């Protein structure tokens, strides 16, 4: 195969990704220096992001806004899963909601006078921007502090187990854990070298084009030199990233960071080896960049706010001693970011059902067998999985939501809940005093029954499809109502999997089932 052309002048002409990559590193350094990325965000911060910042951003999307530091970190990690982020905001605000971008990107506020704003024209202009965001927030939320209230944060941590932690079925808090060490990986001495960054931009372009130069359905893995530009491209402007991808490849390239295990011949190691082979075939060169590969896990003092890449490291091109179980991978492995499976121009779940013995687009196995030695109640909820068995003779365990079997199981569970809801209504109707059938209680039970019937129809329609994407035959009143429809599917046919699917179907793990039994008193789950 002939090597492809080098980086064209028109690529990303509207955004200088080399300068933005420097802003990106400065942003991560600022958050690290103030301890924001050194511990998992609290549930109070998560609530501030989902319930306050996103609606605020939606209302003032045409304004330049600089978020407080705790929200900035969550928003940063959420946007690094662009398909998930877009699905979330469209489920929240409607299917035609434009991408809510960071403007300016790589910015945060620490207090009323301190913040990180790249390329700010002057201190006066910077302060004006900080003040504008705070004033709009105060106008919108007079009873909610713009900056995280530490006393409320401590009280909130005591209630953590009682709160929902997934954001539209995405483990955003888990993503912050994984992204917390990215700064370490891009703090080697070469990342301060302009020629190294220019080379990184050229390699990133080749990485994007690699998809069109392999017919195999592989998970492609970047080097950290490339991954810095991949992150920067997405975070600078998601809509612009999608446009550039479609110009270069004809489709979007999703970003996933859930593979972290570098065990030899494990999923990440296998994917990186496949990427190396594809790169060699396409470009006739080795897929290895000195100074831009995996550095090992951070040393202990990295987790102190006082840590920073020292000037002596930069001058001598040496680096601190790494630790961790994967020392064999240092200098030889790439990043933990991946693009699972083949290109998808529509759905974050891919364009084919995941086989039970296969790997889902998010890098997780299609099926995980249950360990019945501990009893059914020992199986906890797992994000992106449905717990059960398809039929009496089927295997008991966790079925990924991109498997056809997951929707068969959910449909059966909802069918059982419909039976329970009808029994409850019949009992109330037959009450000897006739009082049970009166008032809002009966109306609510009938509304719940209708919702379950709609969900059953949607789940059965999904299970009957040949691929897990595209428009469905929805109940007419759902299809004609944009608000209802947007809870299940986007305007361009991308399927959504909202968290109420889990609860409505009696949970997806015995621990969750116990928590949701009060949804209806009569439940019969088929196992």
């Amino acid at each position: 195969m002939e090597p492809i052309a080098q980086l064209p002048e028109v690529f990303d002409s509207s955004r200088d990704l080399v300068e933005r990559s420097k802003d990106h590193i400065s942003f991560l350094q600022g958050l690290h220096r103030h301890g924001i990325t050194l511990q998992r965000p609290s549930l109070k911060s998560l609530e501030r992001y989902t319930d306050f910042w996103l609606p605020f951003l939606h209302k003032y999307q045409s304004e330049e806004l600089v978020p407080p530091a705790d929200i900035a970190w969550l928003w940063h990690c959420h946007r690094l899963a662009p398909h998930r982020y877009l699905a979330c905001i469209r489920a929240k605000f409607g299917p035609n909601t434009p991408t809510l971008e960071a403007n300016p990107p790589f910015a945060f506020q620490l207090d009323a006078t301190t913040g990180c704003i790249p390329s700010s024209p002057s201190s006066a202009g910077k302060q004006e921007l900080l003040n504008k965001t705070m004033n709009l927030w105060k106008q919108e939320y007079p009873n909610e502090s713009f900056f995280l209230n530490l006393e409320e944060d401590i009280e909130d941590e005591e209630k953590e187990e009682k709160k929902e932690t997934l954001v539209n079925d995405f483990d955003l808090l888990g993503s912050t854990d994984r992204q917390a060490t990215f700064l370490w990986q891009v703090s080697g001495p070469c990342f301060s070298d302009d020629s190294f960054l220019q080379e990184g931009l050229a390699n990133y372009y080749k990485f994007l084009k690699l998809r069109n130069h392999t017919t195999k359905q592989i998970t492609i893995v970047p080097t950290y030199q490339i991954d810095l530009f991949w992150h920067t491209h997405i975070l600078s402007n998601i809509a612009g990233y999608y446009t550039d991808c479609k110009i270069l490849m004809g489709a979007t390239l999703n970003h996933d960071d859930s593979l972290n295990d570098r065990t030899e011949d494990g999923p990440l190691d296998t994917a990186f080896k496949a990427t190396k082979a594809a790169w060699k075939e396409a470009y006739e060169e080795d897929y290895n960049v000195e100074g831009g590969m995996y550095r090992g896990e951070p040393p202990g003092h990295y987790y102190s706010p006082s840590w920073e890449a020292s000037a002596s490291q930069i001058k001598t091109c040496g680096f601190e001693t790494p630790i961790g179980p994967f020392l064999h991978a240092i200098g030889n492995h790439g990043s933990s970011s991946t693009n699972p499976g083949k290109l998808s121009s529509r759905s974050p779940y891919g364009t084919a059902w995941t086989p039970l013995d296969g790997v889902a687009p998010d890098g997780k196995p299609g099926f995980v067998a249950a360990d019945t030695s501990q009893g059914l109640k020992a199986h906890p909820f797992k994000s992106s999985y449905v717990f059960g068995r398809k039929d009496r003779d089927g295997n008991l365990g966790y079925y990924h939501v991109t498997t056809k079997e997951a929707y068969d199981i959910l449909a059966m569970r909802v069918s059982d809940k419909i039976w329970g809801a009808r029994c409850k209504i019949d009992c109330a109707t037959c009450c000897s005093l006739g009082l049970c059938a009166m008032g809002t209680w009966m109306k609510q039970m009938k509304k719940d029954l209708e919702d379950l019937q709609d969900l059953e129809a949607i789940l059965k329609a999904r299970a009957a499809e040949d691929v897990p994407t595209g428009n469905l035959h929805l109940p007419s009143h759902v299809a004609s109502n944009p608000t209802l429809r947007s809870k299940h599917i986007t305007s361009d046919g991308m399927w959504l999997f909202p968290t109420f699917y889990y609860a409505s179907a009696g949970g997806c793990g015995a621990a969750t089932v116990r928590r949701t039994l009060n949804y209806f008193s009569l439940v019969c789950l088929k196992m």
Side-chain angles (χ1 to χ4, degrees):
M1 180 180 295
E2 292 295 324
I4 66 170
Q6 292 299 308
L7 185 71
E9 292 181 4
V10 296
F11 173 64
D12 202 49
S13 59
S14 64
R15 292 174 297 279
D16 186 342
L17 286 186
V18 170
E19 291 306 312
R20 285 285 174 87
S21 71
K22 297 176 184 178
D23 292 340
H24 182 180
I25 292 175
S26 295
F27 169 84
L28 294 176
Q29 288 173 337
L31 291 176
H32 185 283
R33 192 176 302 116
H34 295 293
I36 303 299
T37 59
L38 299 183
Q39 58 185 352
R40 173 176 279 212
S42 67
L43 289 185
K44 178 61 179 177
S45 290
L46 184 65
E47 178 188 46
R48 280 160 49 79
Y49 171 68
T50 58
D51 296 354
F52 293 91
W53 179 257
L54 288 181
F56 179 73
L57 183 66
H58 180 249
K59 182 172 182 178
Y60 296 104
Q61 56 190 275
S62 62
E63 300 283 351
E64 289 185 305
L65 301 171
V66 181
D70 64 318
I71 290 175
W73 176 229
L74 285 161
W75 193 21
H76 173 96
C77 295
H78 201 183
R79 288 180 291 125
L80 280 175
H83 283 5
R84 295 281 198 165
Y85 176 68
L86 189 58
C88 173
I89 62 175
R90 287 183 173 173
K92 198 174 185 72
F93 305 115
N96 298 317
T97 304
T99 308
L100 302 181
E101 307 285 4
N103 181 27
F106 310 116
F108 69 88
Q109 298 194 53
L110 189 65
D111 55 40
T113 59
T114 308
C116 171
I117 303 178
S119 306
S120 181
S122 65
S123 58
K126 173 181 174 180
Q127 189 60 53
E128 181 181 352
L129 188 53
L130 298 180
N131 290 341
K132 181 177 76 172
T133 309
M134 288 188 290
N135 291 337
L136 287 173
W137 178 280
K138 186 175 182 180
Q139 175 182 312
E140 196 69 19
Y141 306 122
N143 298 318
E144 179 69 24
S145 172
F146 181 71
F147 298 104
L148 181 63
N149 185 314
L150 294 181
E151 292 184 2
E152 289 184 9
D153 197 33
I154 293 173
E155 292 175 1
D156 193 75
E157 287 183 359
E158 297 174 356
K159 307 172 185 176
E160 279 196 4
E161 294 185 359
K162 301 179 182 179
K163 290 191 174 183
E164 173 63 70
T165 61
L166 300 180
V167 179
N168 199 48
D169 197 38
F170 175 60
D171 184 7
L172 180 53
L173 294 181
S175 180
T176 66
D177 292 338
R178 296 187 293 273
Q179 289 299 326
T181 59
F182 183 77
L183 175 61
W184 161 255
Q185 299 295 346
V186 297
S187 290
C190 292
F191 285 90
S192 63
D193 186 324
D194 279 355
S195 62
F196 178 83
L197 295 177
Q198 289 290 349
E199 178 192 49
L201 181 58
N203 283 336
Y204 172 57
Y205 167 75
K206 293 161 72 174
F207 176 78
L208 293 179
K209 295 292 288 184
L210 188 63
R211 270 298 186 196
N212 292 342
H213 284 260
T214 177
T215 59
K216 298 178 181 178
Q217 183 174 337
I218 64 171
T219 296
I220 59 174
V221 182
T223 64
Y224 275 104
Q225 182 198 47
I226 291 171
D227 206 22
L228 173 63
F229 285 95
W230 196 6
H231 285 207
T232 302
H233 197 182
I234 294 169
L235 294 164
S236 294
N237 188 282
I238 293 174
Y241 167 73
Y242 279 166
T243 298
D244 288 342
C245 284
K246 289 176 181 177
I247 291 172
L248 291 170
M249 298 175 292
T252 60
L253 194 70
N254 192 26
H255 178 274
D256 179 80
D257 68 352
S258 60
L259 290 183
N260 299 96
D261 186 352
R262 297 179 184 273
T263 302
E264 289 192 56
D265 297 324
L268 184 58
D269 181 52
T270 300
F272 185 68
K273 289 175 180 176
T275 306
K276 287 175 65 177
W279 187 278
K280 182 74 171 180
E281 180 183 2
Y283 307 125
E284 300 178 359
E285 63 185 26
D286 292 334
Y287 191 53
N288 190 291
V289 179
E290 185 176 354
M293 309 301 285
Y294 174 65
R295 298 181 69 200
E297 296 308 297
H301 64 279
Y302 169 82
Y303 297 96
S304 167
S306 63
W307 173 90
E308 60 180 272
S310 67
S312 61
Q313 290 179 47
I314 296 173
K315 290 178 180 178
T316 62
C317 289
F319 56 82
E320 299 162 280
T321 303
I323 62 171
F326 307 120
L327 298 181
H328 67 279
I330 295 175
N332 300 312
H333 275 209
S335 174
S336 59
S337 294
T338 62
N339 171 249
K342 59 193 285 188
L343 276 173
S344 169
S345 60
R346 303 179 77 178
S347 172
Y349 291 121
T351 55
W353 288 110
T354 298
L356 296 185
D357 60 352
V359 178
D362 61 4
K364 298 177 181 179
F367 173 74
V368 180
D371 178 7
T372 54
S373 63
Q374 302 294 321
L376 289 180
K377 293 183 178 180
H379 296 89
F381 166 81
K382 287 183 183 294
S383 175
S384 299
Y385 283 97
V386 176
F387 183 77
R389 57 164 56 100
K390 180 180 177 182
D391 51 45
R392 189 173 297 277
D393 298 323
N395 294 321
L396 179 66
Y398 294 94
Y399 292 80
H400 197 275
V401 295
T402 60
T403 64
K404 187 182 283 279
E405 290 80 1
Y407 291 96
D408 288 327
I409 293 170
L410 285 173
M412 287 191 297
R413 287 186 163 187
V414 171
S415 178
D416 287 329
K417 298 204 80 173
I418 288 173
W419 175 83
R422 283 174 174 161
C423 288
K424 203 168 185 180
I425 291 172
D426 289 344
C427 289
T429 303
C430 295
C431 176
S432 59
L433 296 177
L435 297 176
C436 299
M438 298 174 62
T440 57
W441 186 53
M442 176 60 79
K443 290 181 181 178
Q444 185 59 50
M445 286 196 296
K446 290 182 177 180
K447 176 64 168 60
D448 291 340
L449 175 59
E450 291 172 359
D451 290 343
L452 286 171
Q453 290 170 328
D454 288 344
L455 182 55
E456 181 187 35
I458 292 167
L459 294 172
K460 286 183 175 180
R462 289 191 178 192
E465 290 293 323
D466 294 329
V467 293
T469 187
N471 289 315
L472 294 168
H473 180 66
L474 301 173
S476 58
H477 66 282
V478 175
S480 61
N481 186 317
T483 301
L484 289 178
R485 176 186 166 86
S486 66
K487 293 180 180 179
H488 306 279
I489 190 170
T490 67
S491 58
D492 59 355
M494 185 175 76
W495 291 7
L496 305 176
F497 197 93
T499 52
F500 70 79
Y501 278 23
Y502 290 126
S504 297
C508 299
T512 303
V513 172
R514 292 198 302 273
R515 290 198 298 270
T516 57
L517 284 179
N518 62 354
Y519 192 85
F520 288 110
S521 60
L522 296 172
V523 179
C524 177
L525 301 180
K526 290 183 179 177
M527 291 293 190

